[in-house]
């Protein structure tokens, strides 16, 4: 192909890329956490005009995902891959107000356009099977036994027309047992415009991502209709991970863990127990040093050429005070926020960008926001027949109550007793309350206790019982926790006995129960300050806050799977004995003792001796002749040997004849 034929094609390819540069943004936010941890939030957002999407003209939107959504009639999609547990006590509030987080494993919910519930279920099956192949996950196992239709927990995040809202069906499914690994990260990166080859996505490596203390990958597809602008389809991909700085650096500096030498320890001598034998290291009191290259094992390879920097979007931002020193690669531009909460970096002309923070005592650390609600869920009871679930919901605020929606999707083999559902309000310890001097403090405490006793915890309830092997239990409640108090939610259940074919290969490990989903209402979430990464649209205080509890491990009555093996071995032994006996009776030939000839040893010896003598007489002349040739060296000896051989032949013939006679005589005697 000639050069002049390539240039028009390149020019036509550059036009949509330049025009679409403002429709794609990517950003990395770094937030130091205690102790010695770092929250890294990757955000990728792109938009495709609705007209282009409907006409199959894909520019930034991935074609593989777009065709699945159109074929399944999906108007809005939310997919989560999560591993680990978010430590709210140490790390504070969740990033993105918990909206980009899912329960452990895989979580999927979508709004499907259909005329009836049966059609919606059919399209939901098509969607899960197609996404299973796209993301190399077991999403095809989200069947009717793992699917619910939430009523209060989720609301459409996109802009849908009023005419299409009655046709939208919300379906939600989880796979708490699904292991998230590199096979899911690879298709996730292929959905990006730069495919992980340029921009901040070059830092995403499977060995680093899945070694984090907590990580979550999310994909959100929704229609967006800004005021005065045509509608478009937006896809937003996020990756959040909590990194243990010391552990990530250990792989390079100290792959085999070794204790720090005594002469390198820096001890805090102000401690009363400080001595030559007891040391409290000061390293934990200082902010550790780290860099992008040390944590992720690589630097950022430039900027994605399709990414824009409009609307205040910057490639890399770090939320540290201005007193903390930070060094960036030469050629980058630093922008500090006016409120002193952090700084951002532009590096459009830098091939490889790195950010280095030395070890330093942060005198003015940024305070992490307090979660609006703490939740923890555990199993109660003992035995293999019945059990219970207890959820503790604690409101840390001392000023206002928290109202939220609590959703649980329980498998059908957990037969819930709804009549045992109960709530209990427990006031927190006085040390956690506001301290007011004098009688005013006592009056406030008494008023708070009285208000807690009169507070109505359960405002609304939706319950749909399970059907064996068809659908799960759907429990959804609207709860309210008073200020500075905790609510204990309890209910009992019965364990069902499964068929032996329904147990997984590791049946003794137990069955994973999906995490409970908590959505704080707008009134409760707006009164709680939150600081999290993302654009201004995601920082909207009127958006709800989401929380997920940890998954539970349920032990069911498990049969002894070694018994079939023992039965097979015993049955095979009995069959072998029976078959062998019958086979011997049918095949073997039985002869009477009187029919067998007498066995005479002397006759047998004579037969063998006669045969041996015949063989010796037959081959002895040839052996003697060969031996004479080997010893003889001249012609005379050869001639004499020949004559002697002739004479011997004659004598041998006579002997042979005599031998034959003797043999014949022996045969006659026998």
């Amino acid at each position: 192909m000639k050069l002049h034929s390539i240039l028009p094609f390149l020019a036509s390819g550059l036009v949509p890329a330049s025009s679409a540069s403002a429709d794609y943004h990517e950003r990395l936010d770094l937030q130091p956490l205690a102790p010695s941890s770092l929250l890294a939030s990757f955000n990728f957002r792109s938009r495709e005009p609705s007209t282009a999407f409907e006409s199959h003209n894909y520019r930034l939107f991935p074609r593989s995902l777009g065709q699945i959504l159109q074929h399944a009639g999906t108007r809005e999609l939310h997919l989560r891959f999560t591993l680990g547990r978010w430590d709210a006590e140490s790390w504070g509030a969740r990033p993105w107000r918990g909206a980009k987080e899912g329960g452990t494993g895989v979580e999927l919910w979508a709004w499907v356009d259909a005329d009836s519930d049966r059609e919606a279920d059919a399209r939901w099956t098509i969607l899960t099977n197609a996404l299973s192949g796209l993301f190399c996950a077991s999403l095809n196992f989200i069947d009717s036994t793992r699917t619910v239709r939430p009523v209060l927990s989720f609301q459409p995040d996109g802009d849908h027309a009023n005419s299409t809202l009655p046709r939208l069906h919300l379906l939600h499914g989880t796979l708490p047992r699904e292991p998230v690994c590199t096979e899911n990260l690879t298709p996730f990166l292929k959905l990006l415009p730069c495919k992980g080859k340029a921009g901040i996505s070059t830092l995403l490596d499977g060995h680093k991502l899945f070694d984090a203390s907590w990580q979550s990958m999310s994909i959100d597809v929704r229609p967006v209709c800004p005021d005065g602008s045509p509608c478009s389809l937006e896809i937003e991909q996020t990756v959040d991970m909590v990194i243990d700085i010391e552990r990530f650096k250990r792989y390079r500096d100290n792959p085999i863990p070794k204790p720090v030498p005594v002469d390198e320890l820096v001890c805090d001598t102000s401690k009363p127990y400080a001595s030559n034998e007891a040391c409290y290291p000061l390293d934990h009191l200082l902010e550790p040093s780290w860099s992008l290259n040390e944590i992720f094992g690589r630097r950022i390879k430039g900027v994605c050429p399709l990414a824009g920097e409009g609307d205040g979007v910057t490639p890399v931002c770090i939320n540290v005070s201005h007193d903390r020193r930070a060094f960036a690669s030469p050629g980058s531009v630093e922008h500090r926020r006016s409120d002193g909460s952090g700084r951002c970096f532009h590096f459009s002309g830098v091939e490889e960008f790195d950010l280095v923070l030395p070890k330093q005592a942060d005198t003015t650390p940024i305070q992490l926001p307090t979660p609006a609600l703490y939740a923890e869920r555990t199993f109660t009871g003992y035995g293999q027949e019945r059990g219970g679930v207890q959820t503790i919901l604690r409101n840390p605020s001392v000023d206002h109550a928290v109202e939220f929606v609590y959703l649980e999707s329980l498998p059908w083999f957990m037969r819930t007793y709804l009549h045992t559902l109960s709530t209990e309000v427990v006031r927190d310890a006085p040390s956690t309350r506001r301290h007011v001097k004098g009688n005013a403090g006592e009056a406030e405490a008494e008023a708070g206790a009285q208000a807690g006793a009169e507070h109505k915890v359960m405002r609304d309830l939706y319950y749909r019982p399970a059907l064996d092997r068809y659908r799960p239990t759907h429990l959804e409640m609207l709860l309210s926790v008073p200020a500075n108090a905790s609510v204990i939610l309890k209910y009992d259940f019965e364990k069902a006995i499964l068929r032996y074919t329904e147990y997984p290969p590791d049946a003794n490990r137990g069955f994973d129960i999906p995490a409970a989903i908590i959505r704080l209402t707008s009134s409760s979430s707006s009164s709680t300050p939150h600081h999290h990464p993302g654009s201004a649209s995601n920082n909207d205080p009127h958006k709800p806050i989401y929380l997920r509890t940890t998954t539970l491990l349920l032990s069911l009555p498990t049969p002894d799977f070694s018994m079939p093996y023992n039965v097979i071995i015993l049955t095979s032994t009995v069959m072998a004995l029976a078959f062998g006996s019958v086979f011997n009776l049918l095949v073997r030939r039985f002869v009477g003792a009187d029919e067998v000839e007498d066995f005479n040893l002397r006759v047998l010896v004579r037969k063998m001796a006669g045969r041996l003598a015949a063989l010796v007489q037959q081959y002895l002349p040839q052996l003697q002749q060969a031996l004479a040739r080997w010893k003889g060296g001249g012609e005379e000896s050869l001639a004499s040997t020949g004559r002697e051989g002739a004479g011997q032949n004659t004598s041998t013939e006579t002997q042979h004849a005599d031998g034959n006679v003797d043999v014949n005589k022996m045969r006659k005697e026998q």
Side-chain angles (χ1 to χ4, degrees):
M1 185 181 292
K2 296 183 180 180
L3 181 61
H4 62 81
S5 61
I6 302 178
L7 290 178
F9 175 76
L10 293 177
S12 62
L14 290 175
V15 172
S18 60
S19 62
S21 61
D23 295 336
Y24 173 68
H25 303 282
E26 60 181 20
R27 174 168 170 168
L28 170 62
D29 284 270
L30 303 172
Q31 172 67 59
L33 302 175
S36 184
S37 299
L38 178 69
L39 171 62
S41 298
F42 297 80
N43 179 255
F44 311 92
R45 178 169 48 90
S46 61
R47 293 183 179 181
E48 192 76 32
S50 299
T51 55
F53 178 79
E54 294 174 358
S55 60
H56 304 279
N57 184 17
Y58 301 96
R59 296 186 303 167
L60 298 175
F61 199 93
R63 178 183 296 272
S64 57
L65 182 59
Q67 292 178 346
I68 293 175
L69 297 179
Q70 290 182 342
H71 181 66
T74 305
R75 302 305 179 188
E76 187 171 335
L77 172 71
H78 302 275
L79 180 61
R80 304 287 184 267
F81 299 90
T82 308
L83 276 181
R85 182 183 69 90
W86 177 267
D87 188 1
E89 297 287 346
S90 301
W91 302 337
R94 288 166 167 78
W96 310 99
R97 305 173 68 87
K100 307 297 182 183
E101 176 189 351
T104 302
V106 179
E107 184 177 344
L108 172 67
W109 69 96
W111 277 266
V112 179
D113 188 2
D115 295 329
S116 61
D117 292 343
R118 180 174 296 181
E119 183 182 358
D121 293 336
R123 293 192 173 185
W124 172 256
T125 303
I126 295 174
L127 178 64
T128 55
N129 284 273
L131 293 178
S132 176
L134 180 62
F135 291 100
C136 299
S138 304
L139 292 170
N140 56 316
F141 286 95
I142 300 180
D143 52 6
S144 61
T145 61
R146 294 181 173 91
T147 303
V148 295
R149 298 173 181 267
V151 179
L152 304 173
S153 300
F154 296 98
Q155 298 295 330
D157 197 16
D159 300 328
H160 300 276
N162 295 331
S163 58
T164 60
L165 285 176
R167 293 172 49 87
L168 297 182
H169 297 259
L170 172 61
L171 295 98
H172 178 276
T174 57
L175 284 177
R177 194 185 179 89
E178 181 71 11
V180 185
C181 58
T182 311
E183 295 179 353
N184 311 123
L185 177 62
T186 302
F188 181 89
L189 294 177
K190 289 183 179 181
L191 299 180
L192 299 175
C194 289
K195 313 296 182 183
K197 304 299 182 181
I200 63 174
S201 60
T202 56
L203 297 179
L204 294 175
D205 178 64
H207 298 282
K208 299 293 183 178
L209 175 62
F210 299 107
D211 193 33
S213 303
W214 175 86
Q215 66 88 13
S216 177
M217 298 189 303
S218 67
I219 298 176
D220 299 285
V221 180
R222 56 183 174 268
V224 178
C225 299
D227 296 337
S229 301
C231 296
S232 60
L233 191 65
E234 181 182 86
I235 176 172
E236 187 172 7
Q237 300 175 240
T238 60
V239 177
D240 299 310
M241 54 189 299
V242 176
I243 301 168
D244 188 346
I245 298 177
E246 297 297 336
R247 182 160 56 89
F248 270 54
K249 293 169 56 179
R250 189 184 305 155
Y251 294 132
R252 174 179 298 184
D253 302 335
N254 190 14
I256 301 177
K258 298 179 182 178
V260 180
V262 179
D263 54 349
E264 297 181 5
L265 284 176
V266 181
C267 303
D268 186 4
T269 57
S270 62
K271 300 294 182 180
Y273 50 81
S275 62
N276 295 331
E277 298 179 356
C279 174
Y280 186 82
L282 284 174
D283 293 344
H284 299 283
L285 303 178
L286 301 176
E287 293 292 335
S289 62
W290 56 271
S291 65
L292 295 179
N293 190 22
E294 290 178 344
I295 293 178
F296 296 99
R298 61 188 69 176
R299 299 177 178 87
I300 299 178
K301 297 181 181 179
V303 180
C304 180
L306 298 177
E309 299 183 0
D311 300 333
V313 179
T314 50
V316 177
C317 293
I318 179 171
N319 300 324
V320 295
S321 61
H322 292 173
D323 297 335
R324 184 73 190 275
R325 292 179 297 172
F327 303 97
S329 299
S332 59
V333 181
E334 178 181 351
H335 298 277
R336 298 196 175 190
R337 296 172 183 168
S338 58
D339 56 355
S341 61
R343 64 197 76 176
C344 298
F345 298 90
H346 293 268
F347 49 92
S348 56
V350 181
E351 294 183 358
E352 290 189 352
F353 176 79
D354 194 9
L355 182 63
V356 181
L357 274 77
K359 181 181 295 186
Q360 179 184 352
D362 196 354
T363 57
T364 57
I366 296 179
Q367 298 296 329
L368 298 176
T370 303
L373 185 71
Y374 293 94
E376 55 182 77
R377 187 177 61 153
T378 57
F379 275 135
T380 60
Y382 57 90
Q384 297 294 329
E385 185 178 1
R386 293 180 177 87
V389 176
Q390 175 179 281
T391 306
I392 302 177
L393 306 163
R394 182 166 62 90
N395 181 12
S397 176
V398 296
D399 299 324
H400 60 276
V402 176
E403 189 177 32
F404 57 91
V405 179
Y406 184 85
L407 169 65
E408 277 195 342
S409 175
L410 304 176
W412 61 267
F413 46 79
M414 284 183 61
R415 296 169 178 170
T416 307
Y417 295 144
L418 187 61
H419 71 278
T420 62
L421 180 64
S422 63
T423 58
E424 179 184 357
V425 179
V426 179
R427 304 296 299 182
D428 289 344
S431 59
T432 60
R433 304 178 188 175
R434 293 186 303 175
H435 296 280
V436 183
K437 297 181 180 180
N439 298 330
E442 299 178 359
E444 183 184 1
E446 294 178 359
Q450 184 178 2
E454 298 176 354
H455 187 84
K456 185 178 181 181
V457 177
M458 187 174 299
R459 308 293 178 87
D460 197 0
L461 173 66
Y462 178 85
Y463 175 73
R464 191 184 188 193
L467 294 178
D468 288 355
R469 299 175 180 85
Y470 180 71
R471 73 184 184 196
T473 300
H474 181 190
L475 180 61
E476 205 164 358
M477 295 173 286
L478 180 61
L479 304 176
S480 177
V481 181
N484 198 23
S486 300
V487 170
I488 301 178
L489 179 68
K490 298 180 181 179
Y491 60 87
D492 298 334
F493 65 90
E494 182 184 6
K495 302 178 182 180
I497 298 178
L498 305 181
R499 300 168 182 168
Y500 78 95
T501 56
E502 295 174 342
Y503 286 91
D506 51 347
N508 292 305
R509 174 185 175 272
F511 293 80
D512 294 89
I513 307 303
I517 302 174
I518 300 174
R519 182 182 71 90
L520 275 69
T521 58
S522 58
S523 59
S524 301
S525 59
S526 59
S527 58
T528 304
H530 276 261
H531 176 73
H532 52 85
S535 60
S537 60
N538 293 310
N539 290 330
D540 186 5
H542 297 287
K543 285 191 174 183
I545 299 175
Y546 286 92
L547 288 83
R548 261 81 171 179
T549 63
T550 56
T551 58
L552 300 178
L553 195 62
L554 177 64
S555 177
L556 291 180
T558 306
D560 185 5
F561 288 99
S562 64
M563 290 303 296
Y565 172 78
N566 299 333
V567 172
I568 292 173
I569 295 300
L570 179 61
T571 306
S572 301
T573 304
V574 174
M575 291 180 62
L577 293 175
F579 176 79
S581 302
V582 175
F583 184 79
N584 290 334
L585 293 174
L586 295 176
V587 175
R588 281 189 177 183
R589 179 183 177 186
F590 296 91
V591 182
D594 55 346
E595 299 179 6
V596 181
E597 297 180 357
D598 294 338
F599 181 77
N600 194 343
L601 182 61
R602 293 181 179 181
V603 176
L604 181 62
V605 172
R606 289 177 183 178
K607 289 183 179 180
M608 295 180 62
R611 292 180 181 179
L612 181 61
L615 292 175
V616 171
Q617 292 177 3
Q618 182 178 357
Y619 295 102
L620 182 60
Q622 287 83 350
L623 293 174
Q624 292 178 352
Q625 187 177 6
L627 184 62
R629 291 179 181 176
W630 180 70
K631 291 183 178 180
E635 295 180 357
E636 295 179 358
S637 60
L638 293 174
S640 61
T641 303
R643 289 192 297 271
E644 293 176 358
Q648 290 179 359
N649 289 336
T650 56
S651 61
T652 302
E653 291 177 358
T654 58
Q655 293 178 1
H656 183 65
D658 297 338
N660 292 337
V661 173
D662 295 338
V663 172
N664 294 330
K665 290 180 179 180
M666 293 175 62
R667 292 177 179 176
K668 290 179 179 180
E669 292 176 357
Q670 294 175 358

